[in-house]
Protein backbone atom coordinates (compact mmCIF):
# COMPACT_ATOMS: atom_id res chain seq x y z
CA UNK A 1 0.00 0.00 0.00
CA UNK A 2 1.34 3.39 -0.79
CA UNK A 3 -0.18 6.55 0.59
CA UNK A 4 0.67 10.21 0.70
CA UNK A 5 2.90 10.75 3.70
CA UNK A 6 1.58 13.72 5.71
CA UNK A 7 4.86 13.89 7.66
CA UNK A 8 6.98 14.85 4.65
CA UNK A 9 6.75 18.57 5.34
CA UNK A 10 7.85 18.26 8.98
CA UNK A 11 10.13 21.10 10.10
CA UNK A 12 12.45 21.71 13.06
CA UNK A 13 11.01 24.31 15.44
CA UNK A 14 13.09 24.56 18.62
CA UNK A 15 15.09 22.74 21.28
CA UNK A 16 13.81 23.17 24.84
CA UNK A 17 16.14 22.81 27.81
CA UNK A 18 13.27 23.38 30.20
CA UNK A 19 9.60 22.55 29.97
CA UNK A 20 8.58 26.20 30.00
CA UNK A 21 10.41 26.70 26.70
CA UNK A 22 8.07 24.29 24.91
CA UNK A 23 5.51 25.68 22.46
CA UNK A 24 2.01 26.43 23.78
CA UNK A 25 0.33 23.30 25.06
CA UNK A 26 -2.40 23.22 22.41
CA UNK A 27 -3.21 20.99 19.45
CA UNK A 28 -1.61 17.59 19.17
CA UNK A 29 1.80 16.41 20.29
CA UNK A 30 3.31 12.96 19.88
CA UNK A 31 6.57 12.16 21.67
CA UNK A 32 9.26 9.89 20.33
CA UNK A 33 11.59 8.26 22.82
CA UNK A 34 14.26 5.61 22.91
CA UNK A 35 17.59 4.60 24.40
CA UNK A 36 20.49 6.28 22.63
CA UNK A 37 21.51 4.33 19.56
CA UNK A 38 18.20 2.47 19.41
CA UNK A 39 17.55 4.10 16.01
CA UNK A 40 15.27 7.00 16.96
CA UNK A 41 16.85 9.61 14.65
CA UNK A 42 16.85 7.20 11.73
CA UNK A 43 13.18 6.37 12.34
CA UNK A 44 12.32 10.09 12.45
CA UNK A 45 14.26 10.72 9.27
CA UNK A 46 12.53 7.79 7.53
CA UNK A 47 9.13 9.02 8.70
CA UNK A 48 9.66 12.57 7.52
CA UNK A 49 11.62 11.70 4.40
CA UNK A 50 14.52 13.91 5.51
CA UNK A 51 18.06 12.63 5.44
CA UNK A 52 19.13 14.49 8.53
CA UNK A 53 16.18 16.17 10.22
CA UNK A 54 16.83 14.57 13.61
CA UNK A 55 20.60 14.58 13.30
CA UNK A 56 20.88 18.37 13.33
CA UNK A 57 19.88 18.32 16.97
CA UNK A 58 22.22 15.48 17.93
CA UNK A 59 24.90 17.29 19.84
CA UNK A 60 26.55 16.18 23.10
CA UNK A 61 24.70 18.83 25.13
CA UNK A 62 21.41 17.55 23.90
CA UNK A 63 20.91 14.95 26.63
CA UNK A 64 18.53 17.28 28.40
CA UNK A 65 16.73 18.78 25.44
CA UNK A 66 13.32 18.12 24.02
CA UNK A 67 13.45 18.87 20.28
CA UNK A 68 10.21 20.02 18.69
CA UNK A 69 9.28 19.43 15.07
CA UNK A 70 6.15 20.78 13.45
CA UNK A 71 4.03 18.58 11.19
CA UNK A 72 1.59 21.45 10.65
CA UNK A 73 0.28 24.40 12.65
CA UNK A 74 -1.60 22.16 15.08
CA UNK A 75 0.57 19.05 15.21
CA UNK A 76 4.02 18.50 16.67
CA UNK A 77 6.55 15.74 17.24
CA UNK A 78 8.53 16.01 20.48
CA UNK A 79 11.85 14.20 20.20
CA UNK A 80 12.68 13.26 23.78
CA UNK A 81 16.33 13.06 24.86
CA UNK A 82 18.11 9.80 24.09
CA UNK A 83 18.88 7.88 27.21
CA UNK A 84 21.75 5.63 28.17
CA UNK A 85 24.88 7.64 27.39
CA UNK A 86 27.55 6.20 29.66
CA UNK A 87 28.90 9.74 30.15
CA UNK A 88 25.77 11.08 31.81
CA UNK A 89 26.12 11.46 35.56
CA UNK A 90 23.63 10.09 38.07
CA UNK A 91 22.60 13.61 39.04
CA UNK A 92 21.88 14.52 35.42
CA UNK A 93 19.98 11.30 34.88
CA UNK A 94 17.80 11.99 37.91
CA UNK A 95 17.21 15.58 36.79
CA UNK A 96 16.17 14.30 33.38
CA UNK A 97 13.82 11.74 34.95
CA UNK A 98 12.16 14.50 36.98
CA UNK A 99 11.63 16.61 33.86
CA UNK A 100 10.25 13.67 31.89
CA UNK A 101 7.85 12.77 34.66
CA UNK A 102 6.45 16.31 34.78
CA UNK A 103 6.24 16.39 30.97
CA UNK A 104 4.25 13.16 30.92
CA UNK A 105 1.95 14.22 33.72
CA UNK A 106 1.26 17.78 32.63
CA UNK A 107 1.46 17.99 28.84
CA UNK A 108 -2.19 18.22 27.84
CA UNK A 109 -1.55 18.07 24.09
CA UNK A 110 0.40 14.80 24.38
CA UNK A 111 -1.57 12.14 22.48
CA UNK A 112 0.81 9.23 22.48
CA UNK A 113 4.40 8.06 22.63
CA UNK A 114 6.41 6.22 20.00
CA UNK A 115 8.99 4.17 21.86
CA UNK A 116 11.89 3.07 19.68
CA UNK A 117 13.74 -0.12 20.62
CA UNK A 118 16.44 -2.06 18.80
CA UNK A 119 14.61 -5.29 17.92
CA UNK A 120 17.67 -7.24 19.07
CA UNK A 121 17.71 -5.60 22.52
CA UNK A 122 14.13 -4.70 23.50
CA UNK A 123 12.55 -3.94 26.85
CA UNK A 124 15.56 -2.56 28.71
CA UNK A 125 14.96 -0.74 32.03
CA UNK A 126 14.52 2.66 30.28
CA UNK A 127 11.89 1.13 28.02
CA UNK A 128 9.88 -0.38 30.85
CA UNK A 129 10.12 2.94 32.71
CA UNK A 130 8.61 4.72 29.68
CA UNK A 131 5.85 2.13 29.39
CA UNK A 132 5.09 2.53 33.08
CA UNK A 133 4.86 6.34 32.77
CA UNK A 134 2.56 6.03 29.78
CA UNK A 135 0.33 3.56 31.50
CA UNK A 136 0.24 5.65 34.70
CA UNK A 137 -0.84 8.74 32.77
CA UNK A 138 -3.26 6.87 30.49
CA UNK A 139 -1.23 7.53 27.33
CA UNK A 140 -1.06 5.07 24.46
CA UNK A 141 2.45 3.89 23.63
CA UNK A 142 3.46 2.42 20.27
CA UNK A 143 6.67 0.41 20.29
CA UNK A 144 8.80 0.53 17.17
CA UNK A 145 11.02 -2.54 17.03
CA UNK A 146 13.56 -1.11 14.64
CA UNK A 147 16.60 -2.46 12.78
CA UNK A 148 14.44 -5.42 11.76
CA UNK A 149 16.65 -5.77 8.67
CA UNK A 150 19.30 -7.11 11.06
CA UNK A 151 17.17 -10.21 11.72
CA UNK A 152 15.55 -12.83 9.49
CA UNK A 153 11.77 -12.65 9.28
CA UNK A 154 11.16 -15.56 11.71
CA UNK A 155 13.27 -14.20 14.58
CA UNK A 156 11.85 -10.70 13.95
CA UNK A 157 8.29 -12.00 14.30
CA UNK A 158 9.11 -13.92 17.46
CA UNK A 159 10.77 -10.83 18.95
CA UNK A 160 7.56 -8.93 18.18
CA UNK A 161 5.39 -11.59 19.83
CA UNK A 162 7.60 -11.68 22.89
CA UNK A 163 7.43 -7.91 23.30
CA UNK A 164 3.66 -7.87 22.70
CA UNK A 165 3.20 -10.36 25.53
CA UNK A 166 4.93 -8.00 27.95
CA UNK A 167 3.12 -4.81 26.97
CA UNK A 168 0.60 -3.05 29.20
CA UNK A 169 -2.99 -2.79 27.89
CA UNK A 170 -2.73 0.58 26.15
CA UNK A 171 0.50 -0.23 24.28
CA UNK A 172 1.04 -1.69 20.82
CA UNK A 173 4.10 -2.79 18.85
CA UNK A 174 5.31 -3.25 15.31
CA UNK A 175 8.40 -4.27 13.41
CA UNK A 176 10.28 -1.45 11.65
CA UNK A 177 13.40 -0.78 9.64
CA UNK A 178 14.67 2.63 8.61
CA UNK A 179 17.13 1.21 6.11
CA UNK A 180 14.99 -1.33 4.31
CA UNK A 181 12.51 0.55 4.78
CA UNK A 182 9.79 -1.51 6.46
CA UNK A 183 6.79 -0.73 8.63
CA UNK A 184 6.45 2.89 7.53
CA UNK A 185 2.79 2.60 6.48
CA UNK A 186 1.86 1.03 9.83
CA UNK A 187 3.64 3.81 11.71
CA UNK A 188 2.00 6.51 9.59
CA UNK A 189 -1.45 4.97 10.18
CA UNK A 190 -0.87 4.93 13.96
CA UNK A 191 0.31 8.54 14.01
CA UNK A 192 -2.56 9.70 11.79
CA UNK A 193 -5.02 8.17 14.29
CA UNK A 194 -3.40 10.01 17.20
CA UNK A 195 -3.18 13.28 15.26
CA UNK A 196 -6.70 12.89 13.86
CA UNK A 197 -5.21 13.30 10.40
CA UNK A 198 -6.59 11.64 7.27
CA UNK A 199 -3.72 9.95 5.44
CA UNK A 200 -3.61 10.89 1.81
CA UNK A 201 -4.89 14.43 2.36
P1 LIG B 1 19.50 7.19 17.98
O1 LIG B 1 20.66 7.43 18.89
O2 LIG B 1 18.44 6.39 18.66
O3 LIG B 1 18.95 8.43 17.35
O4 LIG B 1 20.04 6.20 16.83
P2 LIG B 1 20.41 6.46 15.30
O5 LIG B 1 19.20 6.65 14.48
O6 LIG B 1 21.48 7.48 15.20
O7 LIG B 1 20.98 5.02 14.94
C1 LIG B 1 22.05 4.42 15.65
C2 LIG B 1 22.80 3.51 14.69
O8 LIG B 1 21.94 2.48 14.20
C3 LIG B 1 23.30 4.25 13.45
O9 LIG B 1 24.55 3.70 13.08
C4 LIG B 1 22.25 3.93 12.39
O10 LIG B 1 22.76 3.95 11.08
C5 LIG B 1 21.82 2.52 12.79
N1 LIG B 1 20.41 2.25 12.43
C6 LIG B 1 19.32 2.98 12.76
N2 LIG B 1 18.20 2.43 12.26
C7 LIG B 1 18.57 1.33 11.58
C8 LIG B 1 17.87 0.33 10.83
O11 LIG B 1 16.64 0.33 10.69
N3 LIG B 1 18.63 -0.67 10.28
C9 LIG B 1 19.98 -0.74 10.43
N4 LIG B 1 20.61 -1.77 9.88
N5 LIG B 1 20.68 0.19 11.12
C10 LIG B 1 19.99 1.22 11.70
Amino acid sequence: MSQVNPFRGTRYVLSAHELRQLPADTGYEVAIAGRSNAGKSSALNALTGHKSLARTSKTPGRTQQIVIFEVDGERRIADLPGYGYAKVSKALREHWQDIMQVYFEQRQSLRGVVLVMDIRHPMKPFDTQMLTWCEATGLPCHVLLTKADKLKRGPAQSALLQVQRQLPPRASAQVFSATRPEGLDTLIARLCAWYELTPGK
Side-chain angles (χ1 to χ4, degrees), residues 120-193:
R120 301 163 301 171
H121 313 286
M123 301 298 260
K124 297 285 187 200
F126 165 79
D127 303 319
T128 48
Q129 162 95 86
M130 270 295 164
L131 285 162
T132 304
W133 276 337
C134 288
E135 209 52 25
T137 46
L139 268 179
C141 182
H142 185 63
V143 174
L144 220 52
L145 292 172
T146 193
K147 308 193 193 178
D149 57 285
K150 298 262 194 190
L151 295 181
K152 294 215 167 83
R153 199 155 294 272
Q157 281 307 311
S158 50
L160 173 64
L161 283 174
Q162 207 157 12
V163 166
Q164 281 172 330
R165 266 189 228 117
Q166 298 172 62
L167 291 180
R170 261 179 287 260
S172 53
Q174 70 161 101
V175 164
F176 189 85
S177 166
T179 45
R180 201 176 260 161
E182 180 186 340
L184 197 53
D185 285 349
T186 309
L187 175 62
I188 290 172
R190 166 63 55 185
L191 291 174
C192 283

Side-chain angles (χ1 to χ4, degrees), residues 14-25 66 99 102-103 106-107:
L14 58 82
S15 300
H17 297 266
E18 295 176 44
L19 294 177
R20 60 180 173 76
Q21 296 170 330
L22 289 175
D25 193 6
I66 297 178
I99 289 181
V102 175
Y103 173 76
Q106 297 187 353
R107 195 76 173 157

Side-chain angles (χ1 to χ4, degrees), residues 35-37 58-60 62-63 81-89 93:
R35 299 173 69 232
S36 51
N37 233 32
K58 243 186 159 183
T59 56
R62 152 174 183 5
T63 36
Y83 184 85
Y85 291 104
K87 287 180 224 121
V88 174
S89 69
R93 200 157 52 226

